[in-house]
Amino acid sequence: MDTLRKLAILADAAKYDASCASSGAGKRNSVKSGGIGSTEGAGICHSYTPDGRCVSLLKILLTNFCIYDCAYCVNRVSSNVQRARFSVDEVVALTMDFYKRNYIEGLFLSSGIIRNADYTMERMVEVARVLRQEHRFAGYIHLKTIPEASPELLAAAGRYADRLSINIELPTEDGLASYAPEKSMPSIRGAMGELSWRIEEAKEARKATATLPLADPAPRSRKPRAPRFAPAGQSTQMIVGADGASDLQILGAADNLYGNYHMRRVYYSAFSPIPDASKALPLQAPPLAREHRLYQADWLLRFYGYGVEEITDTTQGGMLDLDIDPKMAWAIRHPERFPVDVNTAPKELLLRIPGLGVRNVKRVLMARRHGRLRVADVARLRAPMSKLLPFVQLADHHPRKQLDDPATLRARLAPPPKQDALF
């Protein structure tokens, strides 16, 4: 099989993995070192970073052969799909050729399990090693690591990759045992813990070498620095809608990962029906709105100070409202917390106002030092006034009785209903 045919098969097989954003990678440029590649600038882009950069990644599997039989995976051993496998040299050549043509700025490499976890992980690490050491490639590299692989291989992966990720797959241990019997939740979390402490240890070591006393006779630029280990951190991905897990369980698992393993990102991927699927799987994919609401809820967990129980509605079986965003849903469920006086409320309460984001809250805190804010002042922030005004009090505005009838308020703020598709 020629390389282009392999690329078509293995790039298509990698499309189900959402955790390939390059956010958090350190700025690195090879112009002065004489190598090749960079994590800076913009190119033909597919992944967006928090600072607005777009970074294109060659996103492929090393192989779609797999000895596991995960029910939700199109590449499972019992699946009737065309198989292909890249050699290490082929992946390296593709990465370098695509980079030189300005098609990509980095590599996202995952793989099915061939022979065993250690053999597969060794091949993936070798790709990163050859790129870094033999070709002096300074672009972005993301490796999807295998939890059952030995700690030595996980350590080697972190020396060459910018980011590592281990998919937790499903939020509950029962769900994983039912749909992926070869995988183990303790094994996955153990590998995450291994990566977490190595990442933190490397950060502390680099801080220590960066703060050497000025009396040291060696110039600062020549002082030895501790090696990096996955400087962009680790991420993971959960499948939504394959099992019966509620949004409360999904967000609870994500909150645990952020707190205990310092996860950089948790990605949510709506289950997609696959050929020859197990009868245990749903026949239809969950609504994409559910995936979108989970990302919004995830943002509230990380940046707005919400708790998991606050975001999900326990009266709805722990599910998020698909018609309105989680922040608006919480505000409507708690009219007693509003209206919030924008001119006097602390930052924590301002962040609870629908329509006000983190950036605009900072602007409000700065602006109100110079005088009392009015409706026109908030409108200049380009905030969605129709969402915001029912929940705030300003120098020239009070919502009056709008909060006395949450059902009417919700009906007014929710999008109009749409006719369901016939097919």
Side-chain angles (χ1 to χ4, degrees), residues 250-325:
I250 292 171
L251 291 172
D255 191 49
N256 177 273
L257 293 172
Y258 285 127
N260 293 334
Y261 302 99
H262 305 100
M263 202 65 58
R264 182 62 65 91
R265 284 291 303 274
V266 175
Y267 292 85
Y268 308 93
S269 179
F271 166 72
S272 178
I274 55 178
D276 303 320
S278 165
K279 293 181 180 179
L281 293 171
L283 297 177
Q284 289 186 330
L288 285 177
R290 185 182 179 193
E291 179 185 303
H292 178 57
R293 296 303 181 205
L294 283 168
Y295 276 112
Q296 291 177 318
D298 183 275
W299 213 256
L300 297 182
L301 285 176
R302 292 192 292 148
F303 302 113
Y304 288 79
Y306 284 76
V308 174
E309 291 76 12
E310 291 182 289
I311 298 171
T312 51
D313 188 354
T314 54
T315 64
Q316 299 295 325
M319 301 299 286
L320 297 171
D321 193 323
L322 298 184
D323 293 328
I324 55 177
D325 67 80

Side-chain angles (χ1 to χ4, degrees), residues 159-174:
R159 288 198 293 271
Y160 302 120
D162 292 278
R163 172 170 288 182
L164 301 175
S165 56
I166 299 174
N167 282 359
I168 196 170
E169 309 291 5
L170 295 169
T172 65
E173 193 164 355
D174 290 342

Side-chain angles (χ1 to χ4, degrees), residues 61-134:
L61 300 184
L62 185 67
T63 179
N64 63 344
F65 287 97
C66 192
I67 62 174
Y68 290 171
D69 198 24
C70 304
Y72 49 79
C73 181
V74 71
N75 299 315
R76 66 193 185 280
V77 67
S78 60
S79 181
N80 184 24
V81 296
Q82 188 174 8
R83 307 286 182 171
R85 176 179 173 182
F86 279 129
S87 68
V88 170
D89 291 340
E90 285 176 321
V91 176
V92 171
L94 279 172
T95 305
M96 298 304 297
D97 288 347
F98 278 25
Y99 183 85
K100 290 174 182 177
R101 288 170 172 78
N102 198 31
Y103 295 164
I104 63 166
E105 292 184 78
L107 170 68
F108 174 91
L109 184 62
S110 184
S111 181
I113 310 298
I114 41 178
R115 298 191 188 178
N116 55 59
D118 279 354
Y119 177 81
T120 308
M121 194 71 234
E122 184 181 11
R123 298 293 87 201
M124 295 174 67
V125 170
E126 181 65 8
V127 170
R129 187 200 67 78
V130 172
L131 283 170
R132 292 291 195 222
Q133 294 187 347
E134 297 184 16

